[in-house]
Amino acid sequence: MNKAMSSTLAANLPDEAAPVQNASATAVQAQPKARAAADEIGVASTLLDGSMQQAGTQTLLRGLAILEAAAAGVRDLRSFGAVLGTTRSTTHRLVSSLVQARYLRQVQGGYLLGPKLIELGTIALEQMPLTAVARPHLQALADETLDTIHLGVRDGDDVLYIDKIPGQRGLEMRSRVGHRMPLASTGIGKAMMLDLAPQSWRDLFDASRRTLAGVSFRPDHSLEPDTFLKRMATYSAGGYTFDLEENEISIRCVAAPVRDASGAIVAALSVASTIPYMPLERMDELIPVVQREARAISQELGWRAPQPTTRRIRR
């Protein structure tokens, strides 16, 4: 076959049937652009890393990359192709297969995540109870701080403790799994109040005072409503809460909220100890530590951190 005939045949072949060396060269040239496009929207680089792909897995990984791209806001074939570094025909075939399997759905203007993912997501949540997901992170926090670790959920106006790891300092607190306390009197409870309106903060504060009116362990009743509301505003802005002996005398704690895939607060965790081990300086130092584990649990529940928005300056 002469060179002219070979060139003519190659030009008329579908893009995926082109000579191997040309396809390989095109793929190599497209990789940097695809990687940049993927990085821009947060698609996992491992899905596009050819060095990590074994035979038979490339199509699967490309399909997963399309789903991640769709979740990040990519809508049209051209943009999917830019993320994958694939030709239009290959991209169309992959997207069509995902639509047929209901992982994507076609709408006016492009493609969105499909109902199959909702079904699988619901099943995944049912198979991952909160305590099972959170336990490794609670243990990591316990090992790092040596303090008592709590995990709680909201139950009406109360916090319900669903897990506890005792501290390693020889101290024992009256909290236990299954124990309830008013939300507004505990650090872990206040962490679940962070997204509420100030009026709800006040209502829960009043409910807490009524509940604790006759207790014998004498928590701090000197806290005024205005002080409580100012503290809650500070906590809400910072994404954490403190318990400054409001629940149990001489006990302080640092807490942070746990969120689900919708962004709603569904639980909270805390690190607690007595005043000698929990001076205010250490409480400040523990804020990012507690938030780190709370975020890790949230991410396993499907939560994604909000992407920072950038404003374009018009010139």
Side-chain angles (χ1 to χ4, degrees):
M1 183 180 296
N2 60 39
K3 291 184 178 179
M5 184 177 296
S6 176
S7 299
T8 301
L9 284 174
N12 290 312
L13 283 172
D15 49 18
E16 293 176 82
V20 174
Q21 61 269 28
N22 291 342
S24 299
T26 301
V28 170
Q29 293 172 0
Q31 283 180 359
K33 292 182 179 179
R35 182 63 52 78
D39 289 343
E40 186 175 348
I41 61 172
V43 173
S45 60
T46 52
L47 298 180
L48 302 173
D49 189 348
S51 65
M52 299 182 65
Q53 297 174 6
Q54 299 178 356
T57 65
Q58 187 179 60
T59 299
L60 171 62
L61 295 177
R62 283 176 170 175
L64 294 175
I66 288 175
L67 295 180
E68 287 202 8
V74 174
R75 295 288 177 264
D76 59 273
L77 287 175
R78 183 176 181 179
S79 298
F80 285 130
V83 171
L84 297 175
T86 53
T87 62
R88 182 176 179 83
S89 60
T90 298
T91 306
H92 184 268
R93 187 184 73 249
L94 291 167
V95 169
S96 296
S97 296
L98 290 170
V99 170
Q100 185 176 3
R102 299 170 58 239
Y103 287 96
L104 288 178
R105 58 189 176 95
Q106 189 170 9
V107 297
Q108 185 176 3
Y111 300 87
L112 299 173
L113 295 178
K116 188 67 175 180
L117 293 173
I118 299 175
E119 298 170 13
L120 295 178
T122 301
I123 295 172
L125 287 175
E126 292 174 351
Q127 293 177 347
M128 294 176 61
L130 176 60
T131 51
V133 172
R135 202 15 128 111
H137 302 285
L138 302 182
Q139 189 61 59
L141 203 53
D143 293 341
E144 182 174 351
T145 65
L146 306 180
D147 298 313
T148 299
I149 311 300
H150 294 110
L151 178 70
V153 296
R154 182 174 180 176
D155 184 15
D157 292 347
D158 297 335
V159 54
L160 172 66
Y161 293 95
I162 61 174
D163 203 354
K164 175 183 178 180
I165 300 178
Q168 302 176 44
R169 304 185 190 277
L171 308 170
E172 184 55 43
M173 300 177 190
R174 60 191 180 85
S175 59
R176 65 184 185 280
V177 174
H179 187 59
R180 283 180 171 81
M181 287 300 298
L183 283 170
S185 70
T186 65
I188 198 169
K190 284 182 285 187
M192 288 183 280
M193 296 167 52
L194 290 180
D195 288 352
L196 301 180
Q199 183 57 54
S200 295
W201 294 343
R202 177 58 193 264
D203 293 343
L204 289 167
F205 175 84
D206 292 340
S208 171
R209 283 293 174 262
R210 289 192 297 270
T211 300
L212 298 176
V215 298
S216 59
F217 50 85
R218 298 188 306 105
D220 180 12
H221 287 295
S222 64
L223 184 63
E224 295 296 327
D226 288 345
T227 301
F228 176 81
L229 294 177
K230 288 179 181 178
R231 288 180 181 177
M232 285 300 300
T234 300
Y235 297 152
S236 180
Y240 70 94
T241 56
F242 286 166
D243 177 352
L244 300 170
E245 299 182 80
E246 297 152 75
N247 179 48
E248 188 172 356
I249 199 72
S250 82
I251 299 297
R252 290 176 174 175
C253 87
V254 181
V258 173
R259 299 178 183 273
D260 65 7
S262 71
I265 296 175
V266 294
L269 59 84
S270 69
V271 175
S273 192
T274 58
I275 291 177
Y277 297 106
M278 197 66 78
L280 294 177
E281 295 79 10
R282 183 169 183 251
M283 294 181 76
D284 287 336
E285 294 171 357
L286 283 173
I287 292 172
V289 177
V290 177
Q291 288 177 326
R292 179 194 68 209
E293 299 304 329
R295 281 195 299 268
I297 298 170
S298 300
Q299 288 168 348
E300 291 202 42
L301 295 177
W303 173 79
R304 298 182 67 179
Q307 296 297 318
T309 57
T310 57
R311 293 183 178 180
R312 293 184 177 180
I313 300 176
R314 295 183 178 180
R315 297 181 179 178

